[in-house]
Amino acid sequence: MTAEMVAPAWMHEQITAEEYESWSEEQCAGIEIVDGMVVVSPSASKRHNRLARLLANALDAAAGPDWNADTDFDVRLQDVPLTNRRPDVIVYRADTIDVTPTRPEHVLLVAEVVSPGSETTDRIVKTDQYAKAGIGFYWRIEQAATGTPLVYTYLLDPATKTYRNGDVFTGVVKVAAPFAAEIDLNRL
């Protein structure tokens, strides 16, 4: 067996928050940490990335000065065992832009764009993790075969730390909470 065939230690050993924080930004790109284990995410399609960017831009414009909407950075759901998720879109308090790691209490809304290979994670696993972390709103975007995505919205029930089903949108998303926004999904 050659050295190239041996998996690096981080692929089969739990890592701590301290170890992760010592890694470079390049090492952290394209991965999430779940229960201390590295989960490598495949590269997203251009359609996926465009949809996430358009959604983030629209939410950023609608959110007002107290909130920012961005894409592709870690949200630390728990320290032990380490769980970092990298939602496709994150709406977070503007005054925490330089705070690292971003914590659930900084986050108002997360959105995930479902891709082939992420269906179960985005539909079930992340929904549960984000709710248990106390993130108030979760949006799941399904990339429909027709080309126009479907947006499923969820609202946190703080008593049970589970999400309640909200509205489902296609074409245009028009919401009053967490803030008023109208987003044209046909721009994809």
Side-chain angles (χ1 to χ4, degrees):
M1 183 175 282
T2 67
E4 293 82 28
M5 297 172 77
V6 177
W10 58 261
M11 290 187 77
H12 54 85
E13 294 176 3
Q14 280 190 319
I15 65 164
T16 66
E18 294 77 23
E19 289 170 320
Y20 185 76
E21 287 164 5
S22 74
W23 292 5
S24 70
E25 197 170 310
E26 291 78 25
Q27 288 173 297
C28 297
I31 66 169
E32 293 180 313
I33 310 296
V34 180
D35 294 330
M37 302 302 292
V38 174
V39 177
V40 178
S41 301
S43 294
S45 69
K46 290 182 284 187
R47 179 177 293 279
H48 174 282
N49 288 341
R50 180 169 173 74
L51 183 53
R53 183 177 51 79
L54 289 173
L55 183 60
N57 290 347
L59 288 169
D60 196 58
D66 293 336
W67 299 99
N68 293 337
D70 286 308
T71 61
D72 195 35
F73 64 85
D74 287 340
V75 175
R76 174 77 48 89
L77 299 181
Q78 65 185 35
D79 288 309
V80 179
L82 180 61
T83 299
N84 282 350
R85 286 295 188 179
R86 194 172 275 247
D88 293 319
V89 178
I90 308 103
V91 177
Y92 61 97
R93 287 194 347 242
D95 63 355
T96 65
I97 192 166
D98 293 318
V99 174
T100 303
T102 298
R103 301 275 183 182
E105 57 268 21
H106 305 149
V107 178
L108 178 64
L109 178 150
V110 293
E112 295 286 357
V113 179
V114 178
S115 296
S118 75
E119 294 97 338
T120 300
T121 302
D122 290 342
R123 293 176 185 153
I124 299 169
V125 177
K126 288 183 179 180
T127 305
D128 182 61
Q129 289 177 334
Y130 294 146
K132 292 218 175 354
I135 296 172
F137 295 86
Y138 177 61
W139 291 7
R140 188 184 84 235
I141 298 88
E142 298 280 345
Q143 299 183 70
T146 60
T148 301
L150 295 169
V151 177
Y152 294 82
T153 63
Y154 302 90
L155 172 64
L156 182 67
D157 178 342
T160 62
K161 292 276 187 155
T162 59
Y163 286 118
R164 288 184 280 139
N165 291 336
D167 293 321
V168 178
F169 298 94
T170 187
V172 175
V173 176
K174 190 171 182 176
V175 295
F179 43 78
E182 189 168 324
I183 304 164
D184 185 359
L185 299 174
N186 295 310
R187 291 185 48 213
L188 184 66

